[in-house]
Amino acid sequence: MSAENFEYKTAMERLESILERIDNSEMEIDELAGAVQEATELLRKCRQILLATEKNVQDALSGLDGETGVEA
């Protein structure tokens, strides 16, 4: 597993934990602001990872545009 995959998975697990606690009313009101801030930062990190991955995939696929698949 790459470092990016590990970071993404870890961030998503933490987000799920935060959301579960909010949904189940397990969080005190004074914790809520901090949890929302942490969730926002985690979402930002996940978005950056996804955008970087999308760019890498697009770059890899664009390299195929010039290939015909026919060898001389």
Side-chain angles (χ1 to χ4, degrees):
M1 180 181 296
S2 74
E4 266 190 351
N5 286 341
F6 180 76
E7 284 184 66
Y8 183 83
K9 183 179 180 187
T10 303
M12 287 302 295
E13 288 172 352
R14 179 65 183 142
L15 270 171
E16 289 172 6
S17 173
I18 291 169
L19 291 175
E20 186 177 314
R21 289 189 64 213
I22 291 171
D23 285 345
N24 293 332
S25 300
E26 296 174 1
M27 190 172 292
E28 299 294 326
I29 195 71
D30 56 335
E31 291 179 87
L32 186 58
V36 169
Q37 181 63 36
E38 181 182 358
T40 301
E41 291 170 13
L42 290 166
L43 285 169
R44 198 171 282 125
K45 175 182 252 180
C46 288
R47 183 172 187 269
Q48 289 171 347
I49 292 169
L50 288 173
L51 289 172
T53 301
E54 179 182 29
K55 183 184 181 319
N56 290 340
V57 169
Q58 287 176 350
D59 290 348
L61 292 176
S62 70
L64 295 175
D65 289 342
E67 295 179 17
T68 61
V70 177
E71 292 184 26

